[in-house]
Amino acid sequence: QVQLVESGGGLVQPGGSLRLSCAASGMIFSINVMGWYRQAPGKQRELVATITTAGSTNYADSVKGRFTISTDNGKKTVYLQMNSLKPEDTAVYYCRAVGGLVAWGQGTQVTVSS
């Protein structure tokens, strides 16, 4: 099994930046893809960005050019650098790892407000 713990959320003004981190532990060798998803109040959880072990990335149209996903060597931590944040980016952000089984983190709140 894989365990995921997110950190880095908080309150930021529009136009600001935040960096989320997701630390993986357990059977990390089994991970093929890691990603970030978000869920705003009253809305379904949606994909934000994913990255494969080969380094291929995929982004939701709404965050392209503003967010960047990356990992350290060894797939132990995945990051989401969020720039030019907008109020509509407000959500709980979840980390997900896929490798045989799917693992989710507990989520971290991001609030963009003046």
Side-chain angles (χ1 to χ4, degrees), residues 37-57:
Y37 291 71
R38 66 186 181 187
Q39 187 166 18
K43 294 187 177 181
Q44 290 187 332
R45 192 172 297 187
E46 63 177 5
L47 179 147
V48 176
T50 60
I51 186 167
T52 70
T53 53
S56 296
T57 57

Side-chain angles (χ1 to χ4, degrees), residues 7 19 22 56 65 74 79 102-103:
S7 61
R19 188 192 197 204
C22 173
S56 296
Y79 305 97
V102 177

Side-chain angles (χ1 to χ4, degrees), residues 8-53:
L11 173 64
V12 64
Q13 292 186 342
S17 298
L18 280 176
R19 188 192 197 204
L20 305 183
S21 299
C22 173
S25 61
M27 299 175 63
I28 62 171
F29 60 87
S30 68
I31 296 174
N32 297 315
V33 182
M34 295 190 75
W36 288 96
Y37 291 71
R38 66 186 181 187
Q39 187 166 18
K43 294 187 177 181
Q44 290 187 332
R45 192 172 297 187
E46 63 177 5
L47 179 147
V48 176
T50 60
I51 186 167
T52 70
T53 53

Side-chain angles (χ1 to χ4, degrees), residues 1-113:
Q1 291 185 343
V2 174
Q3 293 79 43
L4 303 171
V5 178
E6 302 103 331
S7 61
L11 173 64
V12 64
Q13 292 186 342
S17 298
L18 280 176
R19 188 192 197 204
L20 305 183
S21 299
C22 173
S25 61
M27 299 175 63
I28 62 171
F29 60 87
S30 68
I31 296 174
N32 297 315
V33 182
M34 295 190 75
W36 288 96
Y37 291 71
R38 66 186 181 187
Q39 187 166 18
K43 294 187 177 181
Q44 290 187 332
R45 192 172 297 187
E46 63 177 5
L47 179 147
V48 176
T50 60
I51 186 167
T52 70
T53 53
S56 296
T57 57
N58 180 51
Y59 295 92
D61 288 342
S62 59
V63 306
K64 282 180 180 176
R66 299 188 298 122
F67 291 10
T68 302
I69 189 170
S70 62
T71 63
D72 63 346
N73 291 330
K75 299 179 293 184
K76 292 182 179 180
T77 305
V78 62
Y79 305 97
L80 186 68
Q81 178 66 43
M82 305 185 294
N83 299 327
S84 303
L85 282 161
K86 305 175 181 180
E88 50 263 44
D89 294 318
T90 295
V92 178
Y93 284 69
Y94 297 91
C95 178
R96 187 179 89 147
V98 180
L101 298 176
V102 177
W104 289 92
Q106 82 286 354
T108 185
Q109 177 69 46
V110 172
T111 302
V112 184
S113 175

